Amino acid sequence: MRRLTRTVAAATMATALALVSACSSGSDDADENVGSSLEQVTYLTSFGNFGRDSYAWVAKEKGFFKDAGFDVEIKPGQGTNGVIQTIVGGQAQFGPIDLTGGLLALGNGQAKDFVAVAAIQQRTMAAIATVEGTGISTPKDLEGKKLADTPGSVVRNLFPTYARLAGIDYNKVTWVNGDAQTLMGTLASGSVDGIGQFVVGQPTIEAVTKKKAVLLPYSNVMQDLYGMVLVTSKQIAADKPDMVKRFTEALLKGLEYALENPQEAAEILAKNVEAVVPAAAAAELQLMAGYVRSSNSGTALGALDSGRVAKSIAILRGAGALESDLTPDQIVDFNLAPKA
């Protein structure tokens, strides 16, 4: 009887150990499966890694991407055309572009097969930038002045329309070619009176020129133009709509958090990207905040409105900047975009 008892006890112990082992093994496998189930995504910033793009790093650092099922690699973008080409080419899945720049690229046959799925900025941040001492404080003061920008920039392409709406004689303004790396130095040297720039560039302008910046935002006279929008390829939008919605929601969480906590967002960016000055990055976010929401969009973050996009197209057509007519549905997937 004692021998039988010892045999049963040993068998029971062996079974228990086997069950513990199996559970432990299963737990490890489950953890590995959770990690491997995260979908790999490459995200491009709009241009380089400045404060204006720190919200993507925030979404990654705070776990918003992971909670949505993504393992995201963030790479520096190279402007609207570069971001479109990389996404359409399949080397990245998401990134922000200037919507006006996207309309020009699509309407003039320079790009295709991309679609916008959310707004980052409800108003364009395009502007003419100068410094105190140039005699420029209002749009009318631009007459008789010399401005510099890259030949294909959104600021320069839109200037004729801006001039007409702001009551400027476009023919009395001289434009000269410049490049992104030297524009602010050109302004600092005094060889031009102003440059094309986004409003969030103000802190950098003041750091380079050692003077107080003066900006003339295009949004003061063209309120319907959107700024940056999140884009993906048409194929991804068609094949993986749920994935697009989950990614968009996670990114917009990062955007909202960054705007509410600009200093923390700047420090997160600086932790991940060398040569970032947190103070300048935080200042960019603070300047950008007023452009992310507007009375035109209601309160919904990321909303895109068909009527407003149509007005943007009409503005570009009226300025002669579009070679072919477009409809809002050709550049925005309104089924995926947040609603106003």
Side-chain angles (χ1 to χ4, degrees):
M1 179 63 71
R2 285 196 300 272
R3 187 180 297 113
L4 177 60
T5 301
R6 286 196 299 269
T7 300
V8 172
T12 302
M13 181 65 72
T15 301
L17 289 173
L19 287 172
V20 171
S21 176
C23 290
S24 176
S25 175
S27 177
D28 290 341
D29 290 343
D31 289 343
E32 290 176 4
N33 289 337
V34 169
S36 64
S37 68
L38 292 177
E39 186 166 1
Q40 303 295 313
V41 166
T42 298
Y43 172 88
L44 300 175
T45 65
S46 62
F47 188 86
N49 281 302
F50 297 96
R52 68 197 75 169
D53 278 299
S54 61
Y55 55 89
W57 293 103
V58 170
K60 183 173 183 175
E61 179 85 7
K62 292 295 181 181
F64 301 151
F65 285 144
K66 185 177 181 181
D67 291 345
F70 301 106
D71 180 12
V72 178
E73 180 181 12
I74 302 172
K75 293 184 177 181
Q78 297 298 319
T80 292
N81 289 340
V83 170
I84 292 172
Q85 291 170 9
T86 305
I87 289 175
V88 172
Q91 291 82 42
Q93 289 72 49
F94 296 95
I97 68 166
D98 183 272
L99 182 60
T100 302
L103 286 168
L104 293 172
L106 183 62
N108 296 333
Q110 298 164 347
K112 61 180 181 177
D113 297 330
F114 69 94
V115 65
V117 294
I120 303 300
Q121 292 129 17
Q122 290 291 329
R123 295 185 295 143
T124 180
M125 296 197 300
I128 301 297
T130 184
V131 292
E132 286 188 341
T134 59
I136 300 173
S137 59
T138 69
K140 192 68 175 176
D141 297 330
L142 293 173
E143 294 182 355
K145 300 297 194 295
K146 183 190 294 186
L147 308 177
D149 202 353
T150 55
S153 78
V154 171
V155 174
R156 191 164 174 177
N157 285 340
L158 277 177
F159 186 75
T161 305
Y162 170 76
R164 178 170 57 83
L165 295 174
I168 304 168
D169 186 345
Y170 172 76
N171 295 313
K172 293 182 180 180
V173 181
T174 301
W175 282 91
V176 297
N177 293 339
D179 59 69
Q181 290 73 28
T182 61
L183 276 178
M184 292 188 187
T186 302
L187 180 61
S189 70
S191 58
V192 297
D193 301 299
I195 59 175
Q197 188 59 234
F198 280 179
V199 293
V200 292
Q202 179 179 340
T204 307
I205 291 171
E206 293 179 344
V208 171
T209 64
K210 310 302 181 186
K211 296 180 180 179
K212 183 175 178 58
V214 177
L215 289 109
L216 303 176
Y218 281 14
S219 61
N220 287 351
V221 297
M222 294 187 288
Q223 297 181 2
D224 286 309
L225 293 184
Y226 284 93
M228 291 290 173
V229 294
L230 177 67
V231 299
T232 188
S233 69
K234 280 193 172 182
Q235 182 174 355
I236 290 176
D239 295 346
K240 300 180 178 181
D242 178 67
M243 175 260 210
V244 173
K245 287 183 177 181
R246 285 187 290 111
F247 184 88
T248 299
E249 183 178 356
L251 184 70
L252 293 178
K253 282 184 180 179
L255 176 61
E256 187 167 36
Y257 190 96
L259 295 178
E260 292 175 352
N261 305 276
Q263 190 59 47
E264 183 183 354
E267 290 167 0
I268 289 173
L269 178 65
K271 185 172 73 172
N272 288 279
V273 179
E274 292 184 4
V276 168
V277 179
E284 281 205 0
L285 281 171
Q286 290 168 337
L287 286 170
M288 190 175 84
Y291 291 79
V292 171
R293 284 192 172 96
S294 76
S295 58
N296 285 351
S297 66
T299 58
L301 201 68
L304 283 165
D305 178 75
S306 179
R308 283 191 59 204
V309 177
K311 288 180 181 179
S312 297
I313 294 170
I315 288 172
L316 296 177
R317 287 285 286 173
L322 283 178
E323 294 178 4
S324 61
D325 201 3
L326 297 172
T327 63
D329 290 331
Q330 287 178 270
I331 196 165
V332 178
D333 190 328
F334 292 101
N335 291 322
L336 298 179
K339 303 295 187 293

PDB file of all heavy atoms in Angstrom, residues 191-203:
ATOM      1  N   SER A 191      21.267  90.520 -48.768  1.00  0.00           N
ATOM      2  CA  SER A 191      21.248  90.520 -50.234  1.00  0.00           C
ATOM      3  C   SER A 191      19.833  90.393 -50.793  1.00  0.00           C
ATOM      4  O   SER A 191      19.604  90.657 -51.967  1.00  0.00           O
ATOM      5  CB  SER A 191      22.143  89.397 -50.781  1.00  0.00           C
ATOM      6  OG  SER A 191      21.733  88.140 -50.288  1.00  0.00           O
ATOM      7  N   VAL A 192      18.884  89.952 -49.948  1.00  0.00           N
ATOM      8  CA  VAL A 192      17.471  89.961 -50.325  1.00  0.00           C
ATOM      9  C   VAL A 192      16.671  90.555 -49.179  1.00  0.00           C
ATOM     10  O   VAL A 192      17.161  90.640 -48.042  1.00  0.00           O
ATOM     11  CB  VAL A 192      16.945  88.537 -50.646  1.00  0.00           C
ATOM     12  CG1 VAL A 192      17.666  87.952 -51.852  1.00  0.00           C
ATOM     13  CG2 VAL A 192      17.055  87.613 -49.441  1.00  0.00           C
ATOM     14  N   ASP A 193      15.465  90.968 -49.493  1.00  0.00           N
ATOM     15  CA  ASP A 193      14.622  91.601 -48.474  1.00  0.00           C
ATOM     16  C   ASP A 193      13.755  90.605 -47.718  1.00  0.00           C
ATOM     17  O   ASP A 193      13.304  90.898 -46.603  1.00  0.00           O
ATOM     18  CB  ASP A 193      13.717  92.654 -49.120  1.00  0.00           C
ATOM     19  CG  ASP A 193      14.511  93.725 -49.836  1.00  0.00           C
ATOM     20  OD1 ASP A 193      15.290  94.422 -49.165  1.00  0.00           O
ATOM     21  OD2 ASP A 193      14.352  93.839 -51.069  1.00  0.00           O
ATOM     22  N   GLY A 194      13.502  89.458 -48.333  1.00  0.00           N
ATOM     23  CA  GLY A 194      12.659  88.458 -47.696  1.00  0.00           C
ATOM     24  C   GLY A 194      12.845  87.111 -48.356  1.00  0.00           C
ATOM     25  O   GLY A 194      13.451  87.003 -49.431  1.00  0.00           O
ATOM     26  N   ILE A 195      12.330  86.074 -47.732  1.00  0.00           N
ATOM     27  CA  ILE A 195      12.447  84.714 -48.260  1.00  0.00           C
ATOM     28  C   ILE A 195      11.124  83.977 -48.085  1.00  0.00           C
ATOM     29  O   ILE A 195      10.296  84.334 -47.243  1.00  0.00           O
ATOM     30  CB  ILE A 195      13.567  83.913 -47.555  1.00  0.00           C
ATOM     31  CG1 ILE A 195      13.293  83.814 -46.041  1.00  0.00           C
ATOM     32  CG2 ILE A 195      14.930  84.521 -47.828  1.00  0.00           C
ATOM     33  CD1 ILE A 195      14.276  82.931 -45.282  1.00  0.00           C
ATOM     34  N   GLY A 196      10.925  82.934 -48.875  1.00  0.00           N
ATOM     35  CA  GLY A 196       9.802  82.045 -48.669  1.00  0.00           C
ATOM     36  C   GLY A 196      10.100  81.131 -47.496  1.00  0.00           C
ATOM     37  O   GLY A 196      11.213  80.613 -47.376  1.00  0.00           O
ATOM     38  N   GLN A 197       9.117  80.922 -46.617  1.00  0.00           N
ATOM     39  CA  GLN A 197       9.389  80.157 -45.395  1.00  0.00           C
ATOM     40  C   GLN A 197       8.058  79.719 -44.773  1.00  0.00           C
ATOM     41  O   GLN A 197       7.010  80.294 -45.063  1.00  0.00           O
ATOM     42  CB  GLN A 197      10.177  81.025 -44.400  1.00  0.00           C
ATOM     43  CG  GLN A 197      10.688  80.324 -43.180  1.00  0.00           C
ATOM     44  CD  GLN A 197      11.618  79.156 -43.482  1.00  0.00           C
ATOM     45  OE1 GLN A 197      11.376  78.058 -43.010  1.00  0.00           O
ATOM     46  NE2 GLN A 197      12.664  79.385 -44.261  1.00  0.00           N
ATOM     47  N   PHE A 198       8.105  78.696 -43.918  1.00  0.00           N
ATOM     48  CA  PHE A 198       6.949  78.351 -43.106  1.00  0.00           C
ATOM     49  C   PHE A 198       7.015  79.142 -41.803  1.00  0.00           C
ATOM     50  O   PHE A 198       8.106  79.460 -41.310  1.00  0.00           O
ATOM     51  CB  PHE A 198       6.921  76.850 -42.805  1.00  0.00           C
ATOM     52  CG  PHE A 198       6.382  76.010 -43.933  1.00  0.00           C
ATOM     53  CD1 PHE A 198       6.326  74.634 -43.815  1.00  0.00           C
ATOM     54  CD2 PHE A 198       5.921  76.594 -45.100  1.00  0.00           C
ATOM     55  CE1 PHE A 198       5.822  73.851 -44.848  1.00  0.00           C
ATOM     56  CE2 PHE A 198       5.417  75.831 -46.147  1.00  0.00           C
ATOM     57  CZ  PHE A 198       5.365  74.457 -46.011  1.00  0.00           C
ATOM     58  N   VAL A 199       5.859  79.437 -41.243  1.00  0.00           N
ATOM     59  CA  VAL A 199       5.815  80.287 -40.058  1.00  0.00           C
ATOM     60  C   VAL A 199       6.593  79.695 -38.882  1.00  0.00           C
ATOM     61  O   VAL A 199       7.122  80.439 -38.053  1.00  0.00           O
ATOM     62  CB  VAL A 199       4.359  80.570 -39.626  1.00  0.00           C
ATOM     63  CG1 VAL A 199       3.647  81.424 -40.656  1.00  0.00           C
ATOM     64  CG2 VAL A 199       3.602  79.277 -39.380  1.00  0.00           C
ATOM     65  N   VAL A 200       6.683  78.356 -38.819  1.00  0.00           N
ATOM     66  CA  VAL A 200       7.390  77.749 -37.692  1.00  0.00           C
ATOM     67  C   VAL A 200       8.901  77.942 -37.789  1.00  0.00           C
ATOM     68  O   VAL A 200       9.632  77.608 -36.863  1.00  0.00           O
ATOM     69  CB  VAL A 200       7.076  76.244 -37.575  1.00  0.00           C
ATOM     70  CG1 VAL A 200       5.633  76.032 -37.180  1.00  0.00           C
ATOM     71  CG2 VAL A 200       7.410  75.506 -38.867  1.00  0.00           C
ATOM     72  N   GLY A 201       9.372  78.483 -38.909  1.00  0.00           N
ATOM     73  CA  GLY A 201      10.802  78.747 -39.045  1.00  0.00           C
ATOM     74  C   GLY A 201      11.258  80.008 -38.315  1.00  0.00           C
ATOM     75  O   GLY A 201      12.457  80.319 -38.305  1.00  0.00           O
ATOM     76  N   GLN A 202      10.324  80.720 -37.694  1.00  0.00           N
ATOM     77  CA  GLN A 202      10.663  81.988 -37.038  1.00  0.00           C
ATOM     78  C   GLN A 202      11.812  81.880 -36.038  1.00  0.00           C
ATOM     79  O   GLN A 202      12.740  82.705 -36.091  1.00  0.00           O
ATOM     80  CB  GLN A 202       9.419  82.558 -36.337  1.00  0.00           C
ATOM     81  CG  GLN A 202       9.682  83.864 -35.603  1.00  0.00           C
ATOM     82  CD  GLN A 202       8.427  84.422 -34.946  1.00  0.00           C
ATOM     83  OE1 GLN A 202       7.307  84.059 -35.321  1.00  0.00           O
ATOM     84  NE2 GLN A 202       8.595  85.291 -33.971  1.00  0.00           N
ATOM     85  N   PRO A 203      11.814  80.901 -35.119  1.00  0.00           N
ATOM     86  CA  PRO A 203      12.931  80.828 -34.162  1.00  0.00           C
ATOM     87  C   PRO A 203      14.290  80.644 -34.839  1.00  0.00           C
ATOM     88  O   PRO A 203      15.290  81.230 -34.413  1.00  0.00           O
ATOM     89  CB  PRO A 203      12.582  79.608 -33.298  1.00  0.00           C
ATOM     90  CG  PRO A 203      11.114  79.448 -33.434  1.00  0.00           C
ATOM     91  CD  PRO A 203      10.805  79.850 -34.835  1.00  0.00           C
TER      92      PRO A 203
END
